[in-house]
């Protein structure tokens, strides 16, 4: 008997990704050693990775939900499913007795052994961009030739955040923004409220609704007045420099979220009058990921110069 819950087919609106995953599950021996799930946040990458993993580890080869493997997986106790933590940078680890969830810990005390229960082991990096440079270099050799019993899944919103040498040795599975009809359908099934400014995502940056609402209120109150908009720029810079914030996220992601809020406000009212501002924000977003140190501060100055001088 197969449990209808927690199946790969529950993934909605990601037909390309589903094609990849179905193909791999039909021929498990041909699954590549490294898979990269890449695309915007909040569109199903994590959702798909967990379901794909349970299916691959299942002792009945169908994500049955009743075998020892599936039960342990759902309890978060599966010894062959190594999931690195979210919101934490991943270091290389000490030479001797490395800390848990470091790369040397993984390579020296986990994947060198055969799986305990399942035929395979899965190592999941839910935020692969958090692997630091030294750790990424050390991991590269293993990713080039993973042990036959171990599969790696790396989740990232932008492939440019990973070393090209890792990307070139992986099969990259693309995820895309969801159509609004799909977003609202998923939201209803989850009894979840979706904000219009999220676009084609359930939550673009995995930030609490409370935090985003605070940001939205600030943007809404300051963005329309040419003088107050300069106060908004100062507020943004203070947030970027605040390393002790209760939900600190990377500056690029923070600026992406602020861009979505600005676009929402400028599109909501006087769209024709705000068209130059909207173009300025879109240009700002297009350059944010150029991977140049401190570029975001220069781009921010350019953006707010245009927002404060553009006619209303």
């Amino acid at each position: 008997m197969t449990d209808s819950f927690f199946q790969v087919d529950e993934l909605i609106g990601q037909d390309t990704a589903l094609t990849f995953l179905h193909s791999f599950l039909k021929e498990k021996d041909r699954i590549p050693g490294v898979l990269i799930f890449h695309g915007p946040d909040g569109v199903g990458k994590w959702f798909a990775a967990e379901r794909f993993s349970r299916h691959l580890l299942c002792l009945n080869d169908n994500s049955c939900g009743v075998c020892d493997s599936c039960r342990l997986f759902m309890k978060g106790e599966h010894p062959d499913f190594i999931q690195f933590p979210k919101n934490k940078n991943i270091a290389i680890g000490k030479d001797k007795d490395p800390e848990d969830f470091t790369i040397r810990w993984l390579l020296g005390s986990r994947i060198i052994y055969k799986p305990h229960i399942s035929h395979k082991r899965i190592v999941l990096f839910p935020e692969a961009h958090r692997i630091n440079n030294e750790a990424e270099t050390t991991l590269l050799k293993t990713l080039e030739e993973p042990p036959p019993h171990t599969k790696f899944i790396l989740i990232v919103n932008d492939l440019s955040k990973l070393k090209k040498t890792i990307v070139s040795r992986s099969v990259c599975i693309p995820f895309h923004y969801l159509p609004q009809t799909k977003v609202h359908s998923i939201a209803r099934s989850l009894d979840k409220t979706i904000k219009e400014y999220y676009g084609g995502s359930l939550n673009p940056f995995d930030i609490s609704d409370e935090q985003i609402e605070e940001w939205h209120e600030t943007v809404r109150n300051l963005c329309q007045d040419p003088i107050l908009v300069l106060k908004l720029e100062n507020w943004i810079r203070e947030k970027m420099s605040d390393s002790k914030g209760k939900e600190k996220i990377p500056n690029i992601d923070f600026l992406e979220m602020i861009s979505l809020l600005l676009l929402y406000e400028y599109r909501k009212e006087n769209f024709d009058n705000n068209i130059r501002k909207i173009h300025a924000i879109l240009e700002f977003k297009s350059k944010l990921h150029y991977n140049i140190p401190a570029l975001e501060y220069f781009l921010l100055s350019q953006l707010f110069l245009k927002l404060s001088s553009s006619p209303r």
Side-chain angles (χ1 to χ4, degrees):
M1 183 179 76
T2 302
D3 186 356
S4 60
F5 170 67
F6 223 80
Q7 298 292 320
V8 170
D9 282 335
E10 292 179 272
L11 182 64
I12 296 174
Q14 300 293 351
D15 294 345
T16 301
L18 268 178
T19 299
F20 274 98
L21 299 181
H22 281 312
S23 173
F24 293 148
L25 290 175
K26 285 180 181 178
E27 297 186 77
K28 294 184 177 68
D29 291 336
R30 300 184 65 180
I31 296 175
V34 187
L35 300 174
I36 299 178
F37 291 12
H38 67 97
D41 290 326
V43 298
K45 300 190 300 298
W46 171 265
F47 184 95
E50 287 195 310
R51 282 153 179 75
F52 178 74
S53 297
R54 192 182 91 162
H55 196 138
L56 187 57
L57 295 172
C58 176
L59 299 179
N60 292 317
D61 292 327
N62 60 4
S63 195
C64 66
V66 297
C67 70
D68 288 344
S69 175
C70 286
R71 291 204 302 270
L72 286 170
F73 188 95
M74 298 310 292
K75 291 179 180 178
E77 298 174 356
H78 202 303
D80 301 323
F81 181 62
I82 302 173
Q83 175 186 301
F84 276 71
K86 285 186 172 182
N87 302 317
K88 184 178 179 182
N89 292 332
I90 299 168
I92 185 172
K94 299 175 183 176
D95 286 327
K96 294 182 179 179
D97 298 322
E99 308 89 326
D100 289 354
F101 296 106
T102 58
I103 297 304
R104 282 183 173 143
W105 166 83
L106 174 69
L107 302 183
S109 62
R110 288 298 182 270
I111 67 172
I112 58 173
Y113 302 110
K114 291 183 178 180
H116 296 279
I117 294 176
S118 301
H119 302 299
K120 301 289 184 184
R121 173 184 289 111
I122 293 179
V123 180
L124 174 62
F125 291 96
E127 296 176 323
H129 64 281
R130 289 186 176 272
I131 306 173
N132 73 26
N133 187 62
E134 187 180 19
E136 199 173 11
T137 300
T138 299
L139 182 62
L140 177 59
K141 187 177 294 185
T142 300
L143 296 183
E144 289 176 348
E145 294 185 48
H149 53 63
T150 297
K151 305 298 178 185
F152 290 85
I153 300 177
L154 282 62
I155 298 178
V156 69
N157 55 20
D158 187 343
L159 284 175
S160 68
K161 294 181 179 179
L162 298 176
K163 287 184 181 297
K164 292 181 180 179
T165 45
I166 288 181
V167 174
S168 66
R169 288 162 173 76
S170 310
V171 171
C172 300
I173 300 179
F175 286 71
H176 308 285
Y177 282 117
L178 298 164
Q180 283 296 303
T181 53
K182 299 291 186 184
V183 171
H184 288 286
S185 174
I186 296 170
R188 284 194 297 270
S189 69
L190 298 175
D191 194 23
K192 181 179 176 66
T193 301
I194 295 299
K195 306 297 183 183
E196 289 186 44
Y197 47 72
Y198 284 168
S201 167
L202 293 174
N203 189 328
F205 302 109
D206 195 23
I207 308 168
S208 71
D209 289 342
E210 178 186 15
Q211 184 71 43
I212 294 179
E213 276 302 313
E214 288 181 13
W215 296 348
H216 189 194
E217 183 178 1
T218 301
V219 170
R220 181 170 52 241
N221 291 337
L222 300 178
C223 72
Q224 298 292 352
D225 187 280
I227 296 176
L228 291 179
V229 81
L230 298 177
K231 185 176 179 180
L232 176 59
E233 180 184 2
N234 290 333
W235 174 82
I236 292 172
R237 290 181 180 276
E238 288 174 3
K239 285 290 184 182
M240 291 169 64
S241 62
D242 179 14
S243 60
K244 298 179 181 179
K246 61 181 177 180
E247 288 193 55
K248 177 67 176 175
I249 65 170
N251 282 340
I252 300 296
D253 291 347
F254 172 64
L255 291 174
E256 283 279 13
M257 188 68 241
I258 295 301
S259 296
L260 291 179
L261 296 175
L262 284 168
L263 285 171
Y264 175 76
E265 289 300 319
Y266 288 142
R267 289 176 60 189
K268 187 174 63 172
E269 297 181 12
N270 299 321
F271 176 82
D272 290 340
N273 290 338
N274 286 327
I275 192 67
R276 288 178 60 188
K277 295 179 180 180
I278 291 171
H279 284 315
I281 297 166
L282 294 175
E283 182 182 10
F284 171 77
K285 282 171 57 66
S286 71
K287 295 178 179 178
L288 264 180
H289 298 277
Y290 278 5
N291 238 0
I292 300 174
L295 176 65
E296 62 268 26
Y297 292 95
F298 172 72
L299 294 176
L300 194 64
S301 296
Q302 281 193 324
L303 172 63
F304 276 87
L305 178 63
K306 293 175 182 177
L307 295 184
S308 62
S309 61
S310 297
R312 294 183 59 187

